[in-house]
Structures are given as structure tokens and as C-alpha cells.
Amino acid sequence: MTQTPSIFAPASTPAFAIREVSFVVLGITAAIFLIVAGVAVYTLVRFGRRPVGPRQEPPQVYGSRQIELAWTVVPFLIVVVLFLVTARYIFAIERRPQPPSALEITVVGNQWWWEVRYPKLGIVTANEVHVPVSNPASPTPTFITLQSADVIHSFWIPQLAGKMDVIPNKTNRVWIDPRAPGTYVGQCAEYCGLEHALMLLVVVVHPPDEFNRWVARQQALPGDGASTTAGRELFASLACINCHSVRGTPGNGVFGPDLTHLMARSTLGAGAARNTPENLRAWVKDPAALKPGVLMPAMKLSNDQLDQLVAYLVTLR
Ligand code: CUA
């Protein structure tokens, strides 16, 4: 089930902390709003122009030390309180040490897709992060190392953690401990070029056994049906392999998403289209028709070549 990506529906410790601090900030600012708006409305009603009676100059007031002090000191104290509360939450989240049970993954922001690597498990995939659920009694959080291949992106899954910038030549970290299985969506949250809006992020949280099965499937080589030999040879003979990897084949490019288990993913082009054989054919034929500005070129393939290639690609499960 896909959840609404709202910060008010948290499912992981950092997101719960963000909701708490949001309520504190919203509470304080709501009180300020009510006081200021209340005084403004009272003044309008009480001191509005009267229809009858003599016109006279209102009393002129030149400064009041007490009032001026109050409207300087009180806002200053409010800002100090907001600062201290926020700083306390930030340190509590960012200083959390990584337990030995944690899953380690690396997410690399690219124009315009996410590479997801599991260095200790030997898995490379794209745009979809699969993690185990973290039971508070025996937590299995996921610690995510964030890197960029090109420009600044921002990794944001509102229900699981706060935004974290993904910056070239700098490594940032974020961690999540999702409490409930499900699908949590997010989006690149820093303008990064033409297709910034098509950098969908999906985090699929599995119960432990299901996660282990996912790992085993990802670690295996994809099925190698003899019926698709022509397509496989075509794939290996084209420029596809300069950018894409398929484990167990000559394809070892790293510029585009790893395709070893392409069909295990739900979308093409980081959310540009649902991953169906028809859309896959349209995508290979002319990626820019589905995602204008995409860096993958149209390969000018014939209809026969497209059919062969797609017949091969759909075996990458
Ligand atoms: Cu990547 Cu916006």
C-alpha cells in the first residue's frame, strides 16, 4: 500500500521527531498569529471611524519604553526557544550511532535518477530502495550514505526522515528505521535541472523474511531464456552497454541505471512511466518522448530490433 507522503504521518524515528518539533513550532506561531490578529481586529472595531459625533484629533503618543522593550525582548526569547528546541532535535537525530545490526546503503543522485547500492550485499539497483522493517525491540535501521554524480539533489522521504542535500564531492548521511511495512514515496527536493520533477524515490519496507527473499533474488543472475538470445546479442552489440550494466553480460556501463533486475522495478525513467513491456518499448524507441531532456539517446532502432531488445529486457526480472 502506498502512503500519502505527509510529514504528519511519520513512520520512522527521525520523521516522528520532525512531527514533534513541527507541532511545537506551529503551536507557538499559531499563538502569535491569534494574539496579533486578535489585537488587530479589536483595534479595527474599537477605534474605527464613527458615523456621528464631532471629528477630533486622537491623542498623539510619542514612544513608550515599556512597550518597545516588550516587543523587542519577547520575540527574541521566542526565537531563542525555537532555536534551542530545533537544535536539540537535530543533534538527537544526527548523533545517533550506527548499530552493528544496521543495513548500509549508498544512494547516488544523478540527473535524473537515483542509483541505489548495497555494498555489503553486492546489489545495485535504481530509484527503488528496499529495506527491512525495524522493530523497536530489535532495531534494524538503514543508514544511507548520500553522494552525487553531478549536481546538488535532495533526498527526501517525508514519512521516514528529513530532507538531506546530496552534494557533489561531499558525503552526507541520513538514517531511517521504518516501523511498518509498506511503500513510502519521496522526491528529489532540490532543483537539479530540466527533469527535477521526475526523480521519484520509492522506499519499499519489507518484513524481515520478505526482505531476505528480495536480497536473494537481486543477488541471483536474471533468468537466461534461450528464446531471447537474439535480443541479448543485440543489446551487447549496441551502445546500450556503454551506459548500462547487466551482471553476467559484457554490459558494465555505470552512466545509466543498472538493468540486471530491470523488471523488478515499478517505473521507468524514475517515475516517467509505469514499467510495462509496451512502455519499455516506447522508452527504448525514444526516451525523450516520455521524459524530455533525458540523457539517454534514442538509438534509432528498427521495429524488429526494438522487439528483440524488449523481448530480452523483459526477462531481466
Ligand atoms: Cu535531483 Cu532535483
Side-chain angles (χ1 to χ4, degrees):
M1 195 186 85
T2 305
Q3 332 258 337
T4 312
S6 163
I7 65 160
F8 295 109
S12 161
T13 304
F16 279 107
I18 287 169
R19 184 176 65 171
E20 273 171 44
V21 82
S22 300
F23 281 146
V24 173
V25 172
L26 287 172
I28 291 174
T29 50
I32 294 171
F33 173 78
L34 288 177
I35 291 168
V36 172
V39 170
V41 168
Y42 171 78
T43 311
L44 281 174
V45 173
R46 173 73 180 74
F47 299 104
R49 195 187 213 186
R50 297 279 178 275
V52 288
R55 281 272 201 100
Q56 33 169 245
E57 197 68 357
Q60 303 296 303
V61 178
Y62 296 99
S64 156
R65 185 156 295 161
Q66 277 167 333
I67 293 177
E68 284 165 15
L69 262 178
W71 77 43
T72 307
V73 172
V74 172
F76 176 76
L77 290 179
I78 293 171
V79 170
V80 168
V81 167
L82 289 177
F83 171 77
L84 290 178
V85 169
T86 312
R88 194 166 148 252
Y89 275 91
I90 290 175
F91 282 116
I93 294 299
E94 299 215 333
R95 291 247 175 99
R96 182 72 64 96
Q98 179 176 333
S101 61
L103 173 69
E104 272 180 37
I105 66 176
T106 300
V107 173
V108 185
N110 287 262
Q111 284 178 317
W112 291 277
W113 58 284
W114 304 94
E115 183 176 66
V116 186
R117 314 186 76 97
Y118 295 69
K120 293 194 174 150
L121 301 174
I123 295 171
V124 182
T125 178
N127 303 322
E128 281 177 26
V129 182
H130 291 253
V131 300
V133 73
S134 182
N135 174 358
S138 60
T140 47
T142 300
F143 277 66
I144 306 169
T145 299
L146 294 169
Q147 293 171 336
S148 170
D150 37 47
V151 299
I152 301 177
H153 304 270
S154 179
F155 183 88
W156 191 30
I157 314 282
Q159 289 179 277
L160 300 182
K163 275 179 199 166
M164 184 60 79
D165 274 1
V166 181
I167 299 174
N169 298 317
K170 177 169 166 54
T171 294
N172 276 340
R173 305 261 284 161
V174 65
W175 63 272
I176 56 176
D177 61 345
R179 310 268 177 89
T183 300
Y184 302 89
V185 292
Q187 180 39 55
C188 179
E190 177 78 43
Y191 180 70
C192 55
L194 192 58
E195 290 300 303
H196 158 66
L198 282 180
M199 280 187 74
L200 178 70
L201 264 165
V202 178
V203 176
V204 185
V205 177
H206 300 279
D209 333 344
E210 200 180 285
F211 178 71
N212 292 337
R213 282 200 296 280
W214 179 83
V215 168
R217 266 201 314 281
Q218 289 284 315
Q219 286 174 331
L221 288 177
D224 205 7
S227 60
T228 58
T229 311
R232 193 173 65 241
E233 283 170 2
L234 181 63
F235 178 78
S237 71
L238 292 168
C240 308
I241 58 171
N242 294 342
C243 293
H244 292 289
S245 291
V246 176
R247 254 187 301 131
T249 77
N252 61 358
V254 293
F255 193 65
D258 186 298
L259 302 181
T260 308
H261 292 282
L262 169 66
M263 297 314 284
R265 305 201 283 261
S266 58
T267 70
L268 293 168
R274 292 222 155 265
N275 189 4
T276 63
E278 301 74 52
N279 286 344
L280 185 57
R281 192 178 193 282
W283 174 266
V284 177
K285 185 172 181 212
D286 183 11
L290 292 169
K291 188 168 181 172
V294 64
L295 299 186
M296 172 168 160
M299 303 290 291
K300 311 244 183 325
L301 303 176
S302 70
N303 280 333
D304 282 352
Q305 286 178 312
L306 279 172
D307 290 338
Q308 285 177 2
L309 209 51
V310 171
Y312 166 60
L313 291 175
V314 296
T315 66
L316 303 176
R317 323 200 138 267

